[in-house]
Amino acid sequence: MGTVQADRSEDEHGGLVGKAQRALIAMRLGDDAEALDVLAPTTPEQRLTETRELMLLLFAECSAMVATLGDGGSAPVKVQVFDSEGEEVSIDQADPPVRTAVRTLLAEVHGNTEAAEEQVEIALASAAPEEVDSLVLQALRWTVRLSVECVERGLPVAGWIREAVADS
């Protein structure tokens, strides 16, 4: 299960997972705007906290799926970044939200949750709202893509993600 603040109650954690699951369903259906609406914070004051926890949850789950796809680290999984023309670029040449997403995922994959948290904190503290939305959408897209790949290969996926990406 993803990293979420230890002081969250089961109900709060379940609420976060429920929001993430509904957002993944919207993403699967191709509705980015609905995914972002689902993830809108309970109150404006909770925007940073809820977004941070959601991002850490999604990136932790993505990391687990990358590890699964990479056979526990024995088979490398390549992360590629593409520009708007479809050309592969280095991480440093990517748009800031994509750069942050890649760095966060890589930190999680390498077991450095603290660095992943720092990447998310920096993004939330300094990014414009549309960049934060882009980062959230990137995490949702990767969660959907990685989970579909895992499911197709018969590999384990968190139940709440599996339910969200299952064809209805």
Side-chain angles (χ1 to χ4, degrees), residues 30-117:
D31 195 342
D32 291 4
E34 176 64 20
L36 290 173
D37 285 346
V38 165
L39 296 175
T42 310
T43 67
E45 297 79 30
Q46 292 178 314
R47 180 179 183 273
L48 290 178
T49 301
E50 286 186 10
T51 303
R52 175 186 179 279
E53 291 182 16
L54 171 78
M55 298 303 297
L56 294 174
L57 172 68
L58 292 173
F59 281 115
E61 293 294 350
C62 285
S63 173
M65 289 184 282
V66 166
T68 298
L69 287 165
D71 198 22
S74 65
V77 175
K78 183 176 182 181
V79 176
Q80 295 174 288
V81 179
F82 299 93
D83 64 15
S84 58
E85 284 83 45
E87 297 295 319
E88 187 172 2
V89 296
S90 74
I91 292 171
D92 293 328
Q93 293 174 311
D95 290 334
V98 174
R99 190 169 49 235
T100 299
V102 171
R103 288 179 176 154
T104 303
L105 179 60
L106 290 174
E108 277 288 348
V109 166
H110 292 288
N112 193 343
T113 300
E114 187 175 309
E117 290 172 356

